[in-house]
Amino acid sequence: MTKNLLGDWSLEVPRICNDENSSVTTVSYGQVPDGDAALMRELGFTVYEHTVNRVDEAKHSLERGISGFYTDSLSPTDLES
């Protein structure tokens, strides 16, 4: 399990988001286990990752169900190739 500010990642995050009345969360790249990103999206949450500066990582994030990401260098055209 990956450590974050909340401790071990778990689906406790949706509960916390609900408690805080937030439908959007931002996490470090790779912090959300593969299956949980899609599940979070199915539950109605928007999940962004930061900081993603490689095309392969960006594509992998989007394929896993991450809604978007913060980047220093990528543009939408970088993801088209």
Side-chain angles (χ1 to χ4, degrees):
M1 290 270 147
T2 303
K3 293 283 186 182
N4 63 26
L5 295 177
L6 302 171
D8 288 337
W9 171 268
S10 71
L11 289 179
E12 189 72 8
V13 173
R15 185 193 62 76
I16 292 168
C17 288
N18 278 332
D19 290 350
E20 298 297 324
N21 198 29
S22 175
S23 61
V24 180
T25 189
T26 304
V27 297
S28 297
Y29 173 77
Q31 185 175 358
V32 179
D34 285 352
D36 292 353
L39 180 57
M40 289 280 292
R41 203 165 180 164
E42 287 176 28
L43 292 171
F45 295 98
T46 302
V47 180
Y48 291 98
E49 285 187 324
H50 64 85
T51 302
V52 181
N53 290 321
R54 291 180 27 190
V55 171
D56 62 326
E57 291 177 345
K59 288 181 177 181
H60 180 68
S61 291
L62 297 173
E63 289 167 0
R64 291 179 27 237
I66 296 295
S67 302
F69 52 88
Y70 296 86
T71 183
D72 296 318
S73 56
L74 298 177
S75 70
T77 56
D78 292 329
L79 300 178
E80 292 173 2
S81 57

